[in-house]
Amino acid sequence: MFSVSTFLDSFAPLAMAARYTLLVSGLGIALGLVIGALICAARMSSNPVLRGFGGLWVSFLRGVPLLVQLLLMYYLLPVIGVNVPAIAAAVISVGICASAYISEIWRGAIAALPKGQTEAAQAIGMAPTTVWTRVILPQAVVMSLPALVNELILLVKASSLVSIVGIMEITRASQAQAATTFRPMEVYLAAACIYLAINLTLAAIGRYLENRMAV
Amino acid sequence: MVQASSVQIRQVDKFYGPFHALKKVSMDVLPGKVTCLIGPSGSGKSTLLRCINFLEEYDAGEIRIDDQLIGYESPGGRKMRGAKLREMRRSIGMVFQQFNLWPHMTALQNVAEGLVRVRGLSKSEAESRATEALRKVGLADKMGNHPLRLSGGQQQRVAIARAIAMEPKLMLFDEPTSALDPELVGEVLNVMKALAAEGMTMVVVTHEMGFAAHVADRVAFMEKGELVAVDEPSRILHSPEDPRIQGFLRTYHERNSF
C-alpha cells in the first residue's frame, strides 16, 4: 500500500537536502558561465594555440561522463596537494563540465548573428571592443537564453551525480531516507516532485526573462 | 550645403581565392555628385562599393578619399592601423541592402549610438541630433520603435538617418531598395534624392534605372569585374554603344514589361 504519510513526511528532509542540489547547480552554472565565456573567447581567437586549447577543453569535457570527471576531481586534487572539501570538488567539476557546453552555446549564438550587424558598426567607425559590448554581446546573450536555461535544468538533474562523493543532496538524501523507512517508492516520488518543482520554476523564470528581453 | 568628398579609384584588383572579382577598376567620384553603379548581379558593383570604405579589402591598386589612401599605409604597403581606418570611416556613411539596424535598440538609439560611442557626444546632445536626423527622413514619430516594429522602408530610412547623423562627407548605398516591397521603394528613393539635392557625394549600387536616369550625375556600368563605361546617365541608359550594356538593358526592360 502507498503510505501517504511517509510520502508527505519525506518532503521536509529532502527539501533540506535540496539546498545542496541548488548550491551545486547554482555555483556550477555561475562557474560554467565565467569559464565558458573564456573558452568561447579562446575558440574564436585568432591565436591557433588558444583555439586548439579551447577545442581540446570542449572535446574532453563533452566526451567523458560527468560521473567520471567527478571521481577524477575528487581523487586527483588531494594527489596534487590540493585539499578541498568534497563540496568544492563537486562544484568545480560541475562548473567545468558546464563550461564546455556553455562555451558552445555562446559560440553558436555569436556565429548566428548576421555579419551585417558588425559591418554596420564598423562602417560608422566603431572600435572593436565597443562593437562587442554594444552590438554583439547584448544580442548573443538574449539569443542564448533558452539554451542556457536548458543547460541549468540539465545541471540540476546532473547534480544528483555528486552524491557519489558523499554530498547529501536530494538523491543521496532520498536513498538514506528510503533505507530507514523501507518505503522507497514514497520517498523517491517525493524526490521526483522536488526536482520537478525546481525545474518548472527555472523554466518559468526563463520564459519570463525571454519575454522581457525579447525585442 | 554639406562638405563633400571625392573618391579616386585607380587600378583596383580584388580576388576571392582564384575568382577575379574586380579587374583593374579605375573611376572618379566627383564631389557633390551622385554616381550610380549598375550591372548584372555578380559583376562586382557591391564589392567595389565595399572597397571604398574598406569593408572589403582590395588586393592591389589605390582608393583615395579626398586624396587620402584608405586601407593601406601606402600603395601596396602595410595595412592601415585600425584607429586610422576608423577615423576615415567616420566621414563615410554606408547604407546596406538588409538595413542592418541593431534590433535590440530603438530607432532613436540606433541613430544616437554612433554619436555617443564613436563621436563622443553626450547622451542628450546625441539624442537631439538623432531626433533631427530622424525628422529629416520623416520618422520623428517612430523614434521609440524597435526596428522589427517598422516597415522595411521605415527601417531603411532609419538606417539612412543613422548614417547622416554622423555628418559624413560621402555616402555609400549598397542596393538600398532591393530588399523592399515595391510600394516602399519610393519613400527611400525620395530621401536619397533630397540628400543628393543637398550636395552630398553619393555612390549608389542600384537596380532602379529610374533613379539612375533622373538623380545620378554619372552612371557606371560593370560586368564580370570590369568597369565597362562611366558616363552621363543618358549616354549609358539610352544610347549605349557597348553591346554588353545594350544586352543588360534589353534584359532589364524585358523583365519589367511583364
Side-chain angles (χ1 to χ4, degrees):
Chain A
M1 272 303 289
F2 186 86
S3 161
V4 175
S5 66
T6 312
F7 172 66
L8 293 175
D9 288 345
S10 302
F11 276 92
L14 295 189
M16 293 299 279
R19 290 179 309 174
Y20 284 102
T21 296
L22 292 175
L23 185 75
V24 168
S25 42
L27 288 180
I29 195 115
L31 192 63
L33 288 169
V34 174
I35 302 175
L38 296 175
I39 296 299
C40 177
R43 292 205 74 183
M44 300 184 76
S45 138
S46 52
N47 182 329
V49 177
L50 283 177
R51 271 206 315 275
F53 173 76
L56 280 178
W57 181 275
V58 171
S59 316
F60 175 77
L61 293 163
R62 285 202 306 198
V64 175
L66 176 56
L67 192 57
V68 175
Q69 292 177 31
L70 267 165
L71 291 168
L72 268 177
M73 185 68 73
Y74 187 66
Y75 289 111
L76 185 83
L77 285 179
V79 170
I80 58 169
V82 185
N83 271 311
V84 291
I87 184 76
V91 166
I92 294 170
S93 291
V94 169
I96 285 178
C97 181
S99 76
Y101 293 93
I102 291 172
S103 70
E104 287 295 279
I105 289 171
W106 276 340
R107 205 165 63 98
I110 291 165
L113 267 191
K115 207 165 129 239
Q117 288 290 306
T118 308
E119 287 185 347
Q122 290 170 333
I124 59 171
M126 201 180 270
T129 40
T130 317
V131 178
W132 275 97
T133 56
R134 301 291 303 174
V135 176
I136 299 175
L137 291 180
Q139 296 187 66
V141 166
V142 174
M143 279 203 284
S144 65
L145 209 56
L148 287 177
V149 170
N150 199 38
E151 178 64 22
L152 180 54
I153 289 173
L154 285 173
L155 274 195
V156 168
K157 293 186 292 180
S159 71
S160 63
L161 294 174
V162 306
S163 59
I164 197 82
V165 293
I167 291 160
M168 234 347 146
E169 43 62 69
I170 298 172
T171 302
R172 188 166 171 117
S174 45
Q175 282 173 325
Q177 195 77 5
T180 53
T181 58
F182 300 105
R183 289 268 177 197
M185 195 175 67
E186 287 81 350
V187 176
Y188 288 127
L189 198 60
C193 289
I194 293 176
Y195 276 118
L196 197 59
I198 293 172
N199 285 333
L200 289 177
T201 309
L202 290 175
I205 294 172
R207 271 196 305 276
Y208 170 76
L209 286 177
E210 262 176 62
N211 287 335
R212 252 197 60 167
M213 294 170 89
V215 285
Chain B
M1 272 302 177
V2 290
Q3 239 188 315
S5 287
S6 61
V7 183
Q8 296 154 295
I9 300 168
R10 290 287 175 275
Q11 300 286 307
V12 164
D13 272 309
K14 167 76 186 168
F15 294 87
Y16 294 107
F19 179 67
H20 204 170
L22 294 175
K23 297 171 185 164
K24 298 250 176 294
V25 173
S26 296
M27 186 176 92
D28 281 319
V29 175
L30 306 174
K33 302 289 181 192
V34 177
T35 304
C36 280
L37 294 177
I38 65 167
S41 43
S43 59
K45 319 178 288 286
S46 287
T47 304
L48 179 62
L49 186 82
R50 289 163 56 87
C51 283
I52 296 177
N53 66 354
F54 211 62
L55 271 187
E56 212 68 70
E57 298 175 5
Y58 55 95
D59 297 312
E62 300 172 25
I63 296 181
R64 291 176 186 277
I65 292 147
D66 295 332
D67 297 322
Q68 192 178 6
L69 188 70
I70 190 162
Y72 298 97
E73 297 285 354
S74 59
R78 270 189 305 152
K79 230 182 276 146
M80 188 176 243
R81 279 185 306 114
K84 187 86 194 67
L85 178 60
R86 292 198 292 277
E87 193 195 311
M88 288 189 76
R89 279 176 175 166
R90 276 194 220 180
S91 50
I92 308 172
M94 178 141 192
V95 173
F96 300 84
Q97 180 176 357
Q98 300 295 340
F99 329 134
N100 296 349
L101 293 177
W102 300 307
H104 56 301
M105 299 181 194
T106 63
L108 184 72
Q109 288 166 338
N110 263 282
V111 181
E113 185 66 15
L115 296 172
V116 176
R117 307 280 158 181
V118 179
R119 295 274 301 271
L121 299 186
S122 72
K123 193 162 173 268
S124 60
E125 174 71 11
E127 287 188 351
S128 85
R129 287 203 198 182
T131 308
E132 188 48 45
L134 283 168
R135 183 170 301 132
K136 220 166 147 181
V137 299
L139 288 174
D141 57 328
K142 302 285 183 192
M143 292 194 309
N145 287 36
H146 279 90
L148 293 178
R149 298 262 170 280
L150 299 171
S151 72
Q154 290 169 336
Q155 288 187 55
Q156 193 60 299
R157 285 188 283 152
V158 173
I160 294 173
R162 173 171 69 178
I164 62 177
M166 299 291 288
E167 297 173 335
K169 294 186 264 179
L170 163 68
M171 286 280 289
L172 309 175
F173 294 85
D174 192 0
E175 301 200 27
T177 59
S178 297
L180 297 176
D181 290 336
E183 76 271 23
L184 302 176
V185 169
E187 60 189 78
V188 171
L189 292 182
N190 281 336
V191 167
M192 291 168 61
K193 219 180 208 172
L195 205 54
E198 282 180 34
M200 175 72 77
T201 309
M202 292 166 55
V203 184
V204 185
V205 172
T206 189
H207 293 288
E208 295 292 332
M209 296 305 152
F211 182 83
H214 296 114
V215 182
D217 298 288
R218 310 229 294 161
V219 173
F221 179 83
M222 290 185 70
E223 193 191 65
K224 293 183 180 151
E226 275 178 66
L227 190 80
V228 175
V230 196
D231 213 328
E232 287 167 20
S234 60
R235 302 276 291 272
I236 300 279
L237 298 171
H238 298 308
S239 48
E241 282 160 24
D242 194 291
R244 288 171 289 185
I245 308 178
Q246 291 167 358
F248 171 75
L249 290 175
R250 201 177 310 123
T251 315
Y252 175 79
H253 290 305
E254 274 165 20
R255 193 200 66 193
N256 277 10
S257 64
F258 275 114

